């Protein structure tokens, strides 16, 4: 459920919230379900956060068992996700927020890589993100073993990969980059991810497209009302507008 303040965070000059990223992941999963099989799966931002260490104890916030239960609950609560196989899923996306900066951790089964997509290309990745990313990956691996019972995945052969060609032009658009990766990342660079995306005006256009996606989403309870109001407005004479 997206609240008003979360939707307003998509506006130009604002930092989008975790709720928006989580909602968009849900949309992407629904699109995968319509194909009848999952080749990608998009996790909620809270799941990566649950892998963090408790400040007082130094232990993970959730135990591995609690983590798996939470993932299973998130999946089984979605009517469209029931009875669908994950054995063909090659890309698993884990958006993660650290100190108000969003990055994407992607487990690429086919390429045998753990991919870190960071729009600020932090030079101190080893110090700032590596240990956290490793925990996310370990939790993901343990969970995937329950989904890939009939599939051989040689986790010991996986390497780390960091995105190097994308740099955001400001300090507030990292969430939009995460959504862009959800849409276009296939384990390699493409023009949708690199070309001209350093321009603020194109990022702002992406914000407008995201807002339209929310309005037209099939699960938007306000969709029909908004569409009626928009139609009514379009039919008004220019003077009244």
């Amino acid at each position: 459920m997206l609240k008003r303040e979360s939707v307003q965070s998509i506006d130009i000059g604002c930092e989008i919230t975790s709720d928006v990223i989580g909602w968009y992941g849900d949309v992407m999963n629904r699109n995968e379900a319509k194909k009848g099989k999952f080749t990608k799966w998009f996790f909620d931002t809270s799941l990566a956060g649950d892998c963090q260490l408790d400040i007082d104890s130094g232990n993970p916030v959730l135990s591995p068992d609690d983590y798996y239960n939470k993932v299973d609950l998130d999946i089984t609560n979605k009517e469209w996700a029931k009875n669908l196989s994950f054995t063909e899923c090659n890309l698993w996306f884990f958006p993660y927020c650290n100190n108000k900066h969003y990055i994407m951790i992607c487990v690429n089964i086919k390429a045998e890589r753990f991919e870190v997509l960071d729009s600020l290309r932090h030079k101190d990745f080893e110090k700032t993100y590596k240990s956290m990313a490793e925990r996310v990956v370990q939790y993901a691996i343990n969970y995937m073993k329950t989904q890939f019972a009939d599939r051989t995945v040689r986790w010991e052969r996986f390497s780390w990969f960091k995105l190097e060609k994308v740099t955001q032009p400001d300090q507030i658009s990292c969430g939009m980059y995460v959504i862009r990766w959800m849409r276009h990342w296939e384990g390699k660079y493409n023009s949708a991810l690199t070309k001209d995306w350093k321009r603020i005006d194109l990022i702002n256009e992406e914000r407008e497209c995201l807002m339209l996606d929310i309005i037209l989403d099939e699960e938007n309870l306000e969709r029909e009302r908004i569409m009626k109001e928009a139609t009514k407005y379009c039919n008004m004479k220019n003077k009244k507008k």
Side-chain angles (χ1 to χ4, degrees):
M1 182 71 73
L2 279 179
K3 297 182 179 180
R4 180 187 296 271
E5 54 266 29
S6 295
V7 176
Q8 290 175 333
S9 73
I10 303 172
D11 197 10
I12 293 173
C14 298
E15 298 179 66
I16 66 172
T17 64
S18 294
D19 288 344
V20 175
I21 294 174
W23 166 83
Y24 195 75
D26 199 52
V27 170
M28 296 295 286
N29 286 333
R30 274 189 272 137
N31 291 339
E32 288 290 302
K34 290 175 182 177
K35 297 187 298 187
K37 63 181 180 180
F38 287 101
T39 58
K40 302 177 182 178
W41 183 261
F42 302 85
F43 285 76
D44 188 85
T45 54
S46 66
L47 289 174
D50 289 335
C51 299
Q52 296 182 81
L53 298 181
D54 180 74
I55 295 177
D56 296 324
S57 68
N59 298 319
V61 174
L62 282 187
S63 69
D65 287 341
D66 288 339
Y67 179 83
Y68 311 149
N69 291 336
K70 185 172 181 178
V71 173
D72 281 330
L73 182 64
D74 181 58
I75 293 174
T76 55
N77 276 342
K78 308 290 194 311
E79 186 65 33
W80 41 264
K82 294 178 180 178
N83 302 318
L84 287 174
S85 173
F86 289 89
T87 56
E88 296 184 65
C89 189
N90 279 314
L91 291 172
W92 299 69
F93 292 84
F94 295 84
Y96 168 61
C97 184
N98 181 67
N99 195 24
K100 296 185 178 181
H101 176 60
Y102 288 99
I103 66 172
M104 179 69 78
I105 302 170
C106 181
V107 179
N108 189 328
I109 305 296
K110 188 174 182 179
E112 297 184 334
R113 295 192 312 196
F114 305 127
E115 299 165 340
V116 178
L117 312 179
D118 178 7
S119 55
L120 286 181
R121 296 192 298 173
H122 281 87
K123 294 180 179 179
D124 59 344
F125 169 76
E126 297 288 335
K127 178 181 178 181
T128 307
Y129 292 112
K130 185 68 178 289
S131 61
M132 178 62 227
E134 286 176 339
R135 283 198 296 277
V136 172
V137 163
Q138 189 57 58
Y139 273 52
I141 289 173
N142 291 340
Y143 178 73
M144 289 174 194
K145 287 178 179 177
T146 70
Q147 299 293 336
F148 293 152
D150 300 322
R151 182 177 178 184
T152 300
V153 180
R154 299 180 179 179
W155 299 107
E156 70 280 0
R157 295 172 53 176
F158 278 53
S159 60
W160 286 91
F161 167 82
K162 289 192 297 178
L163 192 70
E164 297 291 349
K165 294 185 179 180
V166 177
T167 307
Q168 67 187 67
D170 56 24
Q171 296 297 313
I172 62 171
S173 296
C174 52
M176 292 305 303
Y177 277 85
V178 164
I179 286 176
R180 194 68 171 174
W181 288 320
M182 286 181 176
R183 286 183 175 176
H184 297 288
W185 183 252
E186 299 286 349
K188 60 183 179 181
Y189 294 106
N190 57 61
S191 59
L193 290 166
T194 57
K195 186 179 180 180
D196 292 333
W197 241 68
K198 293 182 180 180
R199 288 171 45 188
I200 287 290
D201 58 324
L202 293 181
I203 296 176
N204 290 339
E205 286 181 15
E206 192 75 13
R207 289 177 182 270
E208 295 173 0
C209 291
L210 181 60
M211 184 67 75
L212 188 59
D213 286 340
I214 290 177
I215 293 172
L216 298 179
D217 183 44
E218 59 191 31
E219 294 193 359
N220 181 11
L221 300 178
E222 298 293 329
R223 173 179 171 173
E224 295 304 318
R225 182 186 66 81
I226 294 173
M227 295 297 289
K228 286 180 181 179
E229 291 294 327
T231 301
K232 181 180 177 181
Y233 179 81
C234 290
N235 290 334
M236 290 171 59
K237 293 182 179 180
N238 288 333
K239 210 171 194 181
K240 290 185 178 181
K241 289 182 182 180

